[in-house]
Amino acid sequence: MASSVFWKSWIRIGSDLVVVPPYNRFSWRCCCYRTARWYKQPNCLAATGNNKINFCAKPSWVTSLSNDIWWGNSDSRRCCGSNVNGSTNGNYKSDYLRISDEELMSQCEMDTFKASGPGGQHRNKRESAVRLKHTPTGIIAQAVEDRSQHKNRASALSRLRTLIALKVRNPVELDAYVPPQELLQILPASSTLRGSRSGPQIGPNNPKYVLGLQALLDLIFAVNGSIKDAAVMLGLSTGALSRLILSDDSLRMAVNEFRASKSMKPLK
Amino acid sequence: MATSVGSKFLDLDNGPDSTLLHRELNWLIQDSLGEGEPATLSCAASASSSGSTSSKKVVKLRTCLDDLYRLWKERIEDRRPFQYLVGCEHWRDLVLSVEEGVLIPRPETELIVDFVEDVLAENYGDGLKEGLWADLGTGSGALAIAIGRILGCNGRVIATDLSPVAVAVTEYNVKRYCLQDKVKVKQGSWFEPLEESEVELGGIVSNPPYIPSDNIAGLQAEVSKHEPILALDGGANGMKDLLHLCNGAASMLRPGGFFAFETNGEQQSQFLAGYMESELGGRLVDIKIESDLAGIPRFVKGFKAR
């Protein structure tokens, strides 16, 4: 251990502190995909190019959002000239965000990037990257930046939840709309609808944030991308809602891609 | 330095290419930052050879740049494994101290702990959670520590290893995780250090040496030049120790006890499973082969008959 000049590092890292290494421009070319068809699927949303990922906070790994929105109900509404494979878009419950990690994992296929050669004791190559494919939706989340397979799996699962929030849409009844509690929780205090029960505003690091994120996108899709209309429904000024959307990169991208599909100007 | 390697090592012996070396360089810089430095320092220096960073901010390093440079040179020129440079390996939710003389725990082996977790969840009433477990050939203590953390308050783990270095490193790691009361470390070959009172085991796990002797020379330099051959070489067909463990499991496990062993892959897994079924007279049951996440049939697990 005398040679271990850095062994102390585990004190910092071992204390459940989320450590997020900044890997820029990590090349995926070195990774072969075990199941090449996933790679080719249009709704394969690869978590690539990690830059300062703060788990759910700023997913620059979200590369594309609008081309494959899933509708979480049996009516076959689509949007954005969706290229979702129609055969898989049927009756299913889309409460993926409310189920436990274990249940969500049970809906996923998990693998690593194919190791060339026999692996195990033969190799020292840190192939601990993990990819999860959520079978019901085909959404893929992966994590590579951590050194252990176990942590990459946790990161991939957390990313999967964000991707589901961004991509799985539930229909909204606009007449007599009442925002769900999860949505109220992510709104700023200036919302007139926030009662004392809503508690302090929660941000992307809170596990419940994704539920609010999903509900907010559901609403914005229901009002055809109009921030003004959505703001009214949420008891907010248009400016306050815009600021909320712009504060989260993945949310901003999702909203702007949807608006672009409706020939609306992007939020800036 | 890392960039100049290109795919040279990859072509030579399936070693790391530039991309992987750049990732390691980022980790090296990350580990060398002083306490309290942000973990998300932008490391645009990945393509350069020393530990300099692109930000203008002054950062505190735990070690001087000359040392970092020397270490990185060892990585490239001697193919010294990254984990030995920094003295630790991240494995599951653990960070384990490692050094020359101890096998660096592999990501594949993480799955054995998942198997144990599943068994403990299913067999709670069976007392395995409060039973005595053995991690034979523990190396850095990875399996013993991970299992020690998921057992109940009366559950204990005995970790054995023939290598005194491995025993010292395991003891150190056990202490770091404050598991001295739970994980006992003993020097000796496989089952030998177990005392008479410890022959009714609730579970046995092991990642024994399983590489056929002939293959050792062809391994990537990081492994063949630096890692302990004792932890790699499994004899002529790689099965010497695995067979010993199977026979031991058949006699040392208590009825209903669980075992999981890592193997070289499909051939060994199938042979072992077949051996248990045909040669051990039904003493081991529910024998299953499990694949690692790359799809290689890597593990054999099962139970002692009741």
Side-chain angles (χ1 to χ4, degrees):
Chain A
M1 278 150 278
S3 65
S4 312
V5 293
F6 303 119
W7 60 263
K8 272 188 195 154
S9 63
W10 84 282
I11 296 172
R12 174 167 53 89
I13 298 160
S15 61
D16 287 334
L17 213 149
V18 176
V19 173
V20 186
Y23 301 116
N24 289 326
R25 299 181 296 277
F26 176 74
S27 164
W28 288 97
R29 278 170 299 182
C30 64
C31 305
C32 314
Y33 285 83
R34 179 156 74 103
T35 318
R37 88 196 136 81
W38 292 358
Y39 186 58
K40 289 180 195 132
Q41 268 182 2
N43 56 352
C44 159
L45 199 132
T48 59
N50 304 336
N51 183 14
K52 288 190 211 157
I53 289 175
N54 193 359
F55 287 160
C56 313
K58 288 191 176 159
S60 51
W61 38 273
V62 174
T63 53
S64 153
L65 290 167
S66 68
N67 59 350
D68 55 339
I69 299 299
W70 287 75
W71 285 95
N73 73 333
S74 55
D75 95 31
S76 56
R77 265 204 295 165
R78 304 279 177 77
C79 68
C80 320
S82 166
N83 51 8
V84 169
N85 183 348
S87 64
T88 48
N89 188 23
N91 272 309
Y92 61 90
K93 291 186 76 176
S94 59
D95 53 357
Y96 308 125
L97 295 182
R98 291 178 195 278
I99 60 181
S100 69
D101 280 356
E102 289 73 32
E103 285 172 286
L104 189 56
M105 274 303 290
S106 72
Q107 298 180 344
C108 291
E109 291 171 22
M110 172 168 66
D111 69 2
T112 56
F113 304 100
K114 186 179 185 300
S116 55
Q121 287 167 11
H122 291 257
R123 283 166 75 76
N124 173 355
K125 234 188 187 183
R126 314 311 316 121
E127 277 154 328
S128 59
V130 168
R131 177 180 39 228
L132 296 178
K133 182 192 183 193
H134 185 237
T135 326
T137 59
I139 293 173
I140 290 177
Q142 52 200 20
V144 60
E145 71 280 356
D146 204 278
R147 299 184 216 181
S148 99
Q149 189 168 275
H150 188 78
K151 283 201 176 171
N152 276 329
R153 180 170 66 178
S155 304
L157 197 60
S158 162
R159 265 166 221 177
L160 178 64
R161 286 188 184 273
T162 306
L163 289 173
I164 287 172
L166 294 171
K167 290 157 64 77
V168 176
R169 291 284 62 85
N170 299 298
V172 169
E173 196 56 64
L174 287 177
D175 301 333
Y177 176 77
V178 180
Q181 190 63 26
E182 296 90 17
L183 176 48
L184 290 176
Q185 281 182 325
I186 71 165
L187 298 181
S190 61
S191 165
T192 55
L193 298 183
R194 278 178 66 94
S196 51
R197 280 196 311 123
S198 302
Q201 183 183 13
I202 61 175
N205 291 327
N206 188 313
K208 285 188 181 152
Y209 177 81
V210 288
L211 286 165
L213 179 68
Q214 187 178 44
L216 178 57
L217 279 167
D218 289 343
L219 176 63
I220 290 171
F221 273 61
V223 296
N224 287 315
S226 163
I227 303 305
K228 196 171 141 231
D229 293 353
V232 171
M233 302 243 182
L234 297 173
L236 282 171
S237 68
T238 309
L241 181 57
S242 296
R243 280 193 295 279
L244 176 66
I245 293 166
L246 294 174
S247 70
D248 178 333
D249 284 354
S250 57
L251 178 58
R252 174 179 52 81
M253 282 169 65
V255 170
N256 279 343
E257 287 193 28
F258 180 60
R259 284 171 62 93
S261 75
K262 303 258 169 199
S263 307
M264 298 164 91
K265 272 192 284 183
L267 300 180
K268 275 182 192 159
Chain B
M1 193 152 41
T3 310
S4 69
V5 170
S7 62
K8 198 169 71 188
F9 296 161
L10 186 70
D11 302 337
L12 189 69
D13 60 9
N14 211 358
D17 63 4
S18 292
T19 313
L20 288 159
L21 289 170
H22 284 156
R23 273 167 82 194
E24 292 185 357
L25 196 48
N26 271 330
W27 287 333
L28 179 66
I29 293 167
Q30 194 191 335
D31 277 1
S32 62
L33 293 177
E35 298 288 332
E37 294 292 348
T40 51
L41 189 77
S42 170
C43 295
S46 61
S48 74
S49 54
S50 76
S52 69
T53 67
S54 63
S55 75
K56 289 270 165 35
K57 197 172 149 269
V58 176
V59 293
K60 244 190 290 174
L61 293 177
R62 289 194 186 129
T63 181
C64 68
L65 285 177
D66 292 345
D67 282 347
L68 275 183
Y69 182 75
R70 180 182 52 77
L71 282 173
W72 191 247
K73 226 170 126 178
E74 285 176 7
R75 175 75 190 97
I76 302 295
E77 289 175 5
D78 301 341
R79 305 278 303 272
R80 193 175 169 211
F82 170 77
Q83 296 86 345
Y84 290 156
L85 297 188
V86 296
C88 70
E89 170 66 325
H90 296 225
W91 191 85
R92 276 183 76 86
D93 50 348
L94 308 171
V95 181
L96 298 160
S97 171
V98 292
E99 63 179 40
E100 265 86 357
V102 174
L103 184 81
I104 298 161
R106 304 292 200 260
E108 285 88 346
T109 314
E110 293 183 23
L111 280 182
I112 290 186
V113 184
D114 291 2
F115 302 152
V116 174
E117 251 173 353
D118 293 345
V119 165
L120 293 182
E122 286 163 18
N123 287 3
Y124 187 73
D126 223 22
L128 293 186
K129 208 172 172 155
E130 307 296 335
L132 181 65
W133 287 67
D135 171 17
L136 306 174
T138 191
S140 59
L143 282 171
I145 290 168
I147 291 171
R149 279 154 59 97
I150 56 175
L151 289 181
C153 33
N154 293 319
R156 297 283 180 273
V157 187
I158 298 176
T160 72
D161 207 298
L162 191 55
S163 149
V165 185
V167 168
V169 169
T170 297
E171 275 174 347
Y172 178 78
N173 282 323
V174 167
K175 226 179 276 173
R176 303 299 301 181
Y177 282 95
C178 299
L179 289 170
Q180 298 98 306
D181 295 341
K182 238 183 166 104
V183 181
K184 221 191 301 177
V185 193
K186 294 188 170 187
Q187 193 191 337
S189 171
W190 307 121
F191 297 93
E192 269 172 31
L194 301 186
E195 288 156 24
E196 221 154 274
S197 60
E198 298 166 340
V199 291
E200 283 270 281
L201 295 167
I204 300 174
V205 294
S206 182
N207 174 21
Y210 53 61
I211 299 178
S213 304
D214 289 352
N215 298 357
I216 298 282
L219 297 174
Q220 67 173 109
E222 282 82 359
V223 180
S224 63
K225 269 178 72 183
H226 296 273
E227 290 199 276
I229 191 152
L230 179 71
L232 300 167
D233 189 342
N237 60 3
M239 308 276 291
K240 181 169 62 83
D241 300 297
L242 277 166
L243 286 172
H244 178 66
L245 288 169
C246 288
N247 294 328
S251 60
M252 305 289 269
L253 279 174
R254 75 183 202 202
F258 174 77
F259 68 88
F261 303 130
E262 182 170 327
T263 79
N264 199 28
E266 189 165 12
Q267 233 182 338
Q268 285 192 2
S269 291
Q270 278 178 358
F271 182 89
L272 271 191
Y275 175 83
M276 290 176 194
E277 270 161 13
S278 61
E279 303 291 322
L280 294 178
R283 285 188 287 165
L284 298 178
V285 295
D286 277 343
I287 299 156
K288 284 203 183 92
I289 295 174
E290 293 271 358
S291 293
D292 61 23
L293 296 189
I296 296 173
R298 173 74 60 199
F299 310 96
V300 182
K301 63 175 196 180
F303 294 87
K304 172 88 177 272
R306 282 165 201 281

